Amino acid sequence: KLYIMGRFISFVAAVALLAGAASCQREAAPGEASKAVFSVVVPEAATKADVSDGSLVDKLFYEVYVGNTMMYSGDVGPVSTSNPKTFSLEINLVKGITYDILFWAQKGAQTCYDLSNGLKKVMVSYDGDANDETRDAFYAACKNFQLTDKPTTVYLTRPFAQINFGSHSTADSTSDWKTALPFMENADGTLTLLSQLEAPKLPTCFDVHAGDVVDGHFAENVVLEFSAAPATWGSYGTDIIYQNETYKRVSMNYVLASSLGDELTQVKASFKHNFNASTPLEQVVLHVPVRQNYRTNILGNVFTDGNEFTIIVKPGFTGDNIL
Protein backbone atom coordinates (compact mmCIF):
# COMPACT_ATOMS: atom_id res chain seq x y z
CA LYS A 1 0.00 0.00 0.00
CA LEU A 2 1.72 3.15 -1.22
CA TYR A 3 0.95 6.84 -0.87
CA ILE A 4 2.69 9.20 -3.32
CA MET A 5 2.47 12.80 -2.21
CA GLY A 6 3.93 16.29 -2.38
CA ARG A 7 5.28 16.89 -5.91
CA PHE A 8 5.41 20.67 -5.91
CA ILE A 9 8.40 22.90 -6.73
CA SER A 10 9.08 25.12 -3.74
CA PHE A 11 8.96 28.89 -4.14
CA VAL A 12 12.53 29.27 -2.89
CA ALA A 13 13.89 26.67 -5.31
CA ALA A 14 12.00 28.22 -8.22
CA VAL A 15 13.29 31.70 -7.42
CA ALA A 16 16.87 30.42 -7.16
CA LEU A 17 16.65 28.70 -10.53
CA LEU A 18 15.07 31.74 -12.20
CA ALA A 19 17.67 34.02 -10.67
CA GLY A 20 20.42 31.75 -11.95
CA ALA A 21 18.93 31.63 -15.44
CA ALA A 22 18.47 35.40 -15.57
CA SER A 23 21.98 36.15 -14.35
CA CYS A 24 23.45 33.91 -17.03
CA GLN A 25 21.91 35.93 -19.85
CA ARG A 26 22.67 39.59 -19.14
CA GLU A 27 23.65 41.59 -22.21
CA ALA A 28 27.21 42.96 -22.32
CA ALA A 29 27.61 46.61 -21.43
CA PRO A 30 29.69 48.86 -23.73
CA GLY A 31 33.41 48.69 -23.00
CA GLU A 32 36.57 46.73 -23.64
CA ALA A 33 36.33 44.19 -20.82
CA SER A 34 37.90 40.83 -21.72
CA LYS A 35 37.08 38.79 -18.61
CA ALA A 36 33.77 37.43 -17.37
CA VAL A 37 33.69 37.00 -13.58
CA PHE A 38 31.56 34.17 -12.19
CA SER A 39 30.53 33.32 -8.64
CA VAL A 40 29.27 29.73 -8.62
CA VAL A 41 27.24 28.70 -5.57
CA VAL A 42 26.28 25.30 -4.14
CA PRO A 43 22.76 25.48 -2.65
CA GLU A 44 22.38 25.63 1.12
CA ALA A 45 20.94 22.75 3.10
CA ALA A 46 18.31 23.19 5.79
CA THR A 47 21.02 23.15 8.45
CA LYS A 48 24.78 22.79 8.36
CA ALA A 49 24.42 19.36 9.96
CA ASP A 50 21.81 18.11 7.49
CA VAL A 51 22.45 15.06 5.35
CA SER A 52 23.92 16.11 2.00
CA ASP A 53 24.68 19.73 2.84
CA GLY A 54 27.04 20.08 -0.12
CA SER A 55 30.07 20.87 2.04
CA LEU A 56 32.11 17.90 0.73
CA VAL A 57 32.29 19.35 -2.79
CA ASP A 58 35.74 20.83 -3.41
CA LYS A 59 36.28 21.04 -7.18
CA LEU A 60 34.44 22.96 -9.92
CA PHE A 61 34.98 21.90 -13.54
CA TYR A 62 33.91 24.17 -16.41
CA GLU A 63 33.80 24.14 -20.22
CA VAL A 64 33.30 27.04 -22.63
CA TYR A 65 31.56 26.44 -25.98
CA VAL A 66 30.86 28.50 -29.07
CA GLY A 67 28.16 26.54 -30.85
CA ASN A 68 29.19 22.89 -30.65
CA THR A 69 32.91 23.69 -30.43
CA MET A 70 34.54 23.57 -27.01
CA MET A 71 36.97 26.51 -26.80
CA TYR A 72 38.62 25.54 -23.53
CA SER A 73 38.03 23.99 -20.12
CA GLY A 74 39.44 24.10 -16.61
CA ASP A 75 38.80 23.60 -12.93
CA VAL A 76 39.06 25.60 -9.70
CA GLY A 77 38.79 24.98 -5.98
CA PRO A 78 36.42 26.78 -3.59
CA VAL A 79 36.95 30.37 -2.52
CA SER A 80 38.27 29.24 0.87
CA THR A 81 38.05 26.41 3.37
CA SER A 82 35.77 28.62 5.46
CA ASN A 83 33.49 29.13 2.45
CA PRO A 84 33.61 25.70 0.75
CA LYS A 85 30.38 26.03 -1.22
CA THR A 86 31.29 29.07 -3.32
CA PHE A 87 33.66 29.08 -6.29
CA SER A 88 34.98 32.14 -8.10
CA LEU A 89 36.57 32.20 -11.55
CA GLU A 90 37.44 34.60 -14.35
CA ILE A 91 37.06 33.42 -17.94
CA ASN A 92 38.52 35.24 -20.96
CA LEU A 93 35.73 35.93 -23.45
CA VAL A 94 35.31 38.07 -26.56
CA LYS A 95 32.67 40.79 -26.61
CA GLY A 96 29.84 40.10 -29.04
CA ILE A 97 30.34 36.33 -29.13
CA THR A 98 27.62 34.09 -27.67
CA TYR A 99 28.84 31.28 -25.43
CA ASP A 100 27.51 28.26 -23.60
CA ILE A 101 29.37 27.72 -20.31
CA LEU A 102 28.95 24.44 -18.44
CA PHE A 103 29.71 23.81 -14.75
CA TRP A 104 30.06 20.59 -12.76
CA ALA A 105 31.06 20.51 -9.06
CA GLN A 106 32.03 17.40 -7.09
CA LYS A 107 34.45 16.06 -4.52
CA GLY A 108 37.64 16.07 -6.54
CA ALA A 109 38.87 12.66 -5.39
CA GLN A 110 35.57 10.89 -6.14
CA THR A 111 36.09 8.22 -8.82
CA CYS A 112 32.45 7.36 -9.56
CA TYR A 113 32.36 10.21 -12.12
CA ASP A 114 34.23 10.02 -15.42
CA LEU A 115 34.63 13.46 -17.04
CA SER A 116 37.09 12.35 -19.72
CA ASN A 117 34.44 12.75 -22.46
CA GLY A 118 33.51 16.25 -21.34
CA LEU A 119 30.58 17.68 -19.43
CA LYS A 120 28.09 16.81 -22.14
CA LYS A 121 28.76 13.15 -21.35
CA VAL A 122 29.45 12.73 -17.65
CA MET A 123 29.59 8.98 -16.96
CA VAL A 124 28.35 7.77 -13.56
CA SER A 125 29.37 4.48 -11.97
CA TYR A 126 27.40 2.87 -9.15
CA ASP A 127 30.32 0.69 -8.02
CA GLY A 128 31.12 1.22 -4.37
CA ASP A 129 29.43 1.65 -1.03
CA ALA A 130 25.91 2.67 -0.13
CA ASN A 131 25.34 5.78 2.02
CA ASP A 132 28.26 7.58 0.38
CA GLU A 133 27.86 11.35 0.79
CA THR A 134 30.99 12.00 -1.26
CA ARG A 135 28.92 11.12 -4.35
CA ASP A 136 27.13 14.46 -3.99
CA ALA A 137 27.54 16.60 -7.13
CA PHE A 138 26.05 19.69 -8.77
CA TYR A 139 25.73 21.26 -12.23
CA ALA A 140 24.58 24.35 -14.15
CA ALA A 141 24.58 25.51 -17.78
CA CYS A 142 24.86 29.20 -18.73
CA LYS A 143 23.46 29.23 -22.26
CA ASN A 144 23.58 32.14 -24.74
CA PHE A 145 25.95 34.06 -22.48
CA GLN A 146 27.61 37.27 -23.67
CA LEU A 147 30.43 39.20 -22.04
CA THR A 148 29.42 41.71 -19.37
CA ASP A 149 31.44 43.88 -17.03
CA LYS A 150 29.27 42.86 -14.08
CA PRO A 151 29.88 39.70 -12.01
CA THR A 152 27.54 36.81 -12.77
CA THR A 153 26.16 34.50 -10.08
CA VAL A 154 25.41 30.91 -11.09
CA TYR A 155 23.29 28.67 -8.86
CA LEU A 156 24.04 24.96 -9.09
CA THR A 157 21.55 22.13 -8.74
CA ARG A 158 21.83 18.34 -8.33
CA PRO A 159 21.56 15.87 -11.23
CA PHE A 160 20.35 13.13 -8.86
CA ALA A 161 17.40 11.83 -7.01
CA GLN A 162 18.11 10.83 -3.43
CA ILE A 163 16.42 7.71 -2.02
CA ASN A 164 16.04 7.59 1.77
CA PHE A 165 14.59 4.93 4.05
CA GLY A 166 13.24 6.14 7.40
CA SER A 167 12.44 3.91 10.39
CA HIS A 168 9.41 4.98 12.44
CA SER A 169 10.78 6.23 15.77
CA THR A 170 8.13 8.39 17.44
CA ALA A 171 8.55 8.19 21.24
CA ASP A 172 7.12 4.80 21.99
CA SER A 173 8.99 1.77 23.29
CA THR A 174 7.31 -0.38 20.66
CA SER A 175 8.15 1.82 17.66
CA ASP A 176 10.07 0.28 14.77
CA TRP A 177 13.34 2.04 15.65
CA LYS A 178 13.08 1.43 19.40
CA THR A 179 12.32 -2.26 18.82
CA ALA A 180 15.37 -2.73 16.59
CA LEU A 181 17.77 -0.56 18.61
CA PRO A 182 18.90 -3.26 21.11
CA PHE A 183 20.07 -5.40 18.21
CA MET A 184 22.28 -2.55 16.94
CA GLU A 185 23.80 -1.14 20.13
CA ASN A 186 27.39 -1.93 21.03
CA ALA A 187 28.94 -1.86 24.51
CA ASP A 188 30.58 1.51 23.81
CA GLY A 189 27.27 3.10 22.82
CA THR A 190 27.94 3.07 19.07
CA LEU A 191 25.57 1.41 16.63
CA THR A 192 26.16 -1.31 14.07
CA LEU A 193 23.79 -0.95 11.15
CA LEU A 194 24.83 -1.55 7.56
CA SER A 195 22.60 -1.09 4.53
CA GLN A 196 22.68 -1.94 0.85
CA LEU A 197 20.57 -0.68 -2.05
CA GLU A 198 19.74 -2.57 -5.24
CA ALA A 199 17.88 -1.46 -8.37
CA PRO A 200 17.23 -3.36 -11.62
CA LYS A 201 18.16 -0.49 -13.99
CA LEU A 202 19.54 3.04 -13.55
CA PRO A 203 20.84 5.78 -15.92
CA THR A 204 24.62 6.19 -16.16
CA CYS A 205 25.19 9.27 -18.35
CA PHE A 206 24.38 12.95 -17.78
CA ASP A 207 24.53 15.88 -20.21
CA VAL A 208 25.18 19.14 -18.37
CA HIS A 209 24.24 21.22 -21.44
CA ALA A 210 20.85 19.50 -21.76
CA GLY A 211 20.41 19.24 -18.00
CA ASP A 212 19.26 15.66 -18.25
CA VAL A 213 20.22 12.01 -18.52
CA VAL A 214 21.34 10.65 -21.90
CA ASP A 215 19.15 8.00 -23.50
CA GLY A 216 20.67 4.62 -24.12
CA HIS A 217 23.10 4.66 -21.19
CA PHE A 218 21.99 2.36 -18.36
CA ALA A 219 23.42 -0.02 -15.80
CA GLU A 220 21.45 -3.14 -14.95
CA ASN A 221 21.27 -4.95 -11.62
CA VAL A 222 22.86 -2.07 -9.72
CA VAL A 223 24.16 -2.88 -6.22
CA LEU A 224 25.45 -0.24 -3.82
CA GLU A 225 27.35 -2.36 -1.31
CA PHE A 226 26.71 -2.79 2.42
CA SER A 227 28.03 0.19 4.34
CA ALA A 228 27.39 2.08 7.55
CA ALA A 229 25.87 5.53 7.57
CA PRO A 230 28.40 8.40 7.44
CA ALA A 231 29.86 9.56 10.75
CA THR A 232 28.25 12.94 10.11
CA TRP A 233 24.87 11.37 10.85
CA GLY A 234 25.84 11.23 14.52
CA SER A 235 24.53 7.81 15.62
CA TYR A 236 21.57 8.16 13.27
CA GLY A 237 20.59 11.50 14.69
CA THR A 238 19.12 12.80 11.43
CA ASP A 239 15.35 12.72 11.75
CA ILE A 240 12.70 13.03 9.08
CA ILE A 241 9.44 14.41 10.47
CA TYR A 242 6.24 13.76 8.54
CA GLN A 243 2.73 14.54 9.83
CA ASN A 244 4.03 14.86 13.41
CA GLU A 245 5.67 11.43 13.23
CA THR A 246 9.45 11.03 13.49
CA TYR A 247 11.56 8.66 11.39
CA LYS A 248 15.26 7.85 11.70
CA ARG A 249 17.08 7.98 8.38
CA VAL A 250 18.66 4.52 8.00
CA SER A 251 19.63 4.56 4.31
CA MET A 252 20.57 7.35 1.87
CA ASN A 253 21.66 6.91 -1.75
CA TYR A 254 21.98 8.96 -4.93
CA VAL A 255 20.68 7.71 -8.27
CA LEU A 256 20.87 9.56 -11.57
CA ALA A 257 17.36 10.61 -12.62
CA SER A 258 15.50 12.40 -15.39
CA SER A 259 14.21 15.94 -14.98
CA LEU A 260 11.08 15.28 -17.04
CA GLY A 261 8.92 13.64 -14.40
CA ASP A 262 8.70 10.82 -11.94
CA GLU A 263 10.41 7.73 -13.27
CA LEU A 264 9.32 4.54 -11.54
CA THR A 265 11.89 2.05 -10.36
CA GLN A 266 12.07 -0.88 -7.97
CA VAL A 267 14.45 -0.72 -5.03
CA LYS A 268 15.55 -3.33 -2.54
CA ALA A 269 17.10 -2.12 0.68
CA SER A 270 18.89 -4.69 2.85
CA PHE A 271 19.97 -4.11 6.45
CA LYS A 272 22.51 -5.86 8.70
CA HIS A 273 22.91 -5.40 12.44
CA ASN A 274 24.71 -7.30 15.21
CA PHE A 275 22.30 -10.25 15.22
CA ASN A 276 21.38 -10.71 11.56
CA ALA A 277 24.71 -10.22 9.78
CA SER A 278 24.48 -13.59 8.02
CA THR A 279 20.83 -13.15 6.97
CA PRO A 280 20.12 -9.47 6.28
CA LEU A 281 16.62 -8.06 6.42
CA GLU A 282 15.34 -7.16 2.94
CA GLN A 283 12.69 -4.62 2.02
CA VAL A 284 11.54 -4.56 -1.61
CA VAL A 285 9.52 -1.52 -2.69
CA LEU A 286 7.91 -1.50 -6.13
CA HIS A 287 7.17 1.53 -8.32
CA VAL A 288 9.32 4.03 -6.44
CA PRO A 289 9.14 7.48 -8.10
CA VAL A 290 12.45 9.31 -8.60
CA ARG A 291 13.11 12.70 -10.17
CA GLN A 292 16.19 14.88 -10.61
CA ASN A 293 16.88 17.13 -7.59
CA TYR A 294 14.07 15.50 -5.59
CA ARG A 295 14.30 13.41 -2.45
CA THR A 296 12.22 10.24 -2.32
CA ASN A 297 11.58 9.39 1.34
CA ILE A 298 10.32 5.86 2.01
CA LEU A 299 8.97 5.94 5.55
CA GLY A 300 7.53 3.23 7.77
CA ASN A 301 8.39 0.16 9.81
CA VAL A 302 11.66 -0.84 8.20
CA PHE A 303 12.58 -3.54 10.72
CA THR A 304 9.14 -4.77 11.88
CA ASP A 305 5.59 -5.35 10.67
CA GLY A 306 6.02 -6.12 6.99
CA ASN A 307 6.54 -3.65 4.16
CA GLU A 308 3.84 -0.98 4.24
CA PHE A 309 5.46 2.37 3.53
CA THR A 310 4.49 5.95 2.88
CA ILE A 311 6.44 7.47 -0.03
CA ILE A 312 6.94 11.23 -0.18
CA VAL A 313 8.61 12.80 -3.20
CA LYS A 314 9.93 16.20 -2.13
CA PRO A 315 11.48 18.88 -4.37
CA GLY A 316 14.94 20.20 -3.71
CA PHE A 317 17.30 19.42 -0.85
CA THR A 318 16.56 22.31 1.52
CA GLY A 319 14.24 22.18 4.48
CA ASP A 320 13.82 18.44 4.01
CA ASN A 321 13.68 17.41 7.65
CA ILE A 322 10.13 18.74 8.05
CA LEU A 323 7.62 17.43 5.51
Side-chain angles (χ1 to χ4, degrees):
K1 182 178 179 181
L2 303 178
Y3 303 88
I4 302 175
M5 309 171 62
R7 301 179 190 147
F8 299 98
I9 297 178
S10 68
F11 177 76
V12 173
V15 169
L17 290 174
L18 290 172
S23 66
C24 288
Q25 298 180 46
R26 285 193 294 261
E27 292 297 323
E32 299 300 323
S34 61
K35 291 183 182 294
V37 180
F38 292 86
S39 178
V40 183
V41 182
V42 173
E44 289 292 334
T47 68
K48 291 184 179 180
D50 195 11
V51 173
S52 310
D53 68 355
S55 62
L56 298 180
V57 170
D58 59 10
K59 185 74 73 174
L60 176 73
F61 298 88
Y62 62 91
E63 293 177 349
V64 179
Y65 287 83
V66 175
N68 291 322
T69 302
M70 186 172 73
M71 307 305 293
Y72 54 92
S73 61
D75 62 80
V76 295
V79 169
S80 68
T81 55
S82 61
N83 189 12
K85 294 193 285 187
T86 300
F87 301 84
S88 181
L89 66 153
E90 294 184 351
I91 302 176
N92 288 315
L93 301 178
V94 176
K95 182 180 177 181
I97 302 295
T98 299
Y99 298 90
D100 289 342
I101 306 172
L102 310 184
F103 301 95
W104 174 274
Q106 66 172 70
K107 186 171 179 60
Q110 178 55 267
T111 59
C112 67
Y113 308 115
D114 180 359
L115 308 183
S116 61
N117 295 312
L119 299 185
K120 292 185 178 182
K121 197 175 182 180
V122 176
M123 302 304 298
V124 177
S125 168
Y126 295 100
D127 293 340
D129 292 338
N131 303 310
D132 184 1
E133 287 200 74
T134 68
R135 296 180 66 96
D136 208 1
F138 303 83
Y139 80 95
C142 275
K143 299 180 184 180
N144 302 317
F145 180 87
Q146 291 192 341
L147 182 64
T148 173
D149 60 359
K150 298 179 181 179
T152 298
T153 301
V154 180
Y155 296 95
L156 302 177
T157 189
R158 287 177 169 90
F160 304 104
Q162 187 188 79
I163 299 176
N164 300 294
F165 275 78
S167 168
H168 185 239
S169 64
T170 295
D172 184 329
S173 61
T174 62
S175 71
D176 185 63
W177 176 253
K178 296 286 181 63
T179 299
L181 196 56
F183 299 98
M184 307 176 201
E185 288 182 313
N186 303 308
D188 61 359
T190 60
L191 302 181
T192 295
L193 179 62
L194 309 179
S195 68
Q196 180 184 74
L197 190 78
E198 300 177 52
K201 188 176 182 180
L202 292 174
T204 57
C205 186
F206 189 80
D207 182 345
V208 171
H209 186 270
D212 218 335
V213 296
V214 179
D215 289 340
H217 293 268
F218 295 94
E220 296 185 347
N221 302 317
V222 172
V223 178
L224 290 161
E225 299 293 347
F226 278 105
S227 178
T232 53
W233 288 19
S235 295
Y236 295 87
T238 60
D239 293 338
I240 299 171
I241 300 172
Y242 175 65
Q243 293 186 345
N244 297 320
E245 297 291 318
T246 302
Y247 300 83
K248 290 291 184 183
R249 195 186 312 258
V250 293
S251 175
M252 180 282 297
N253 290 283
Y254 297 105
V255 300
L256 206 55
S258 171
S259 66
L260 300 180
D262 293 336
E263 298 288 333
L264 298 179
T265 188
Q266 172 185 306
V267 298
K268 181 171 76 172
S270 302
F271 299 90
K272 290 182 182 180
H273 52 62
N274 290 325
F275 294 93
N276 76 339
S278 60
T279 309
L281 170 69
E282 297 179 352
Q283 294 286 11
V284 178
V285 186
L286 305 175
H287 311 306
V288 174
V290 293
R291 187 190 299 189
Q292 183 189 131
N293 200 39
Y294 277 56
R295 279 176 165 168
T296 298
N297 293 315
I298 303 171
L299 308 176
N301 292 329
V302 173
F303 305 104
T304 60
D305 291 341
N307 61 351
E308 182 174 332
F309 294 99
T310 298
I311 300 181
I312 303 98
V313 182
K314 188 179 187 301
F317 281 63
T318 59
D320 182 68
N321 284 354
I322 306 297
L323 303 175

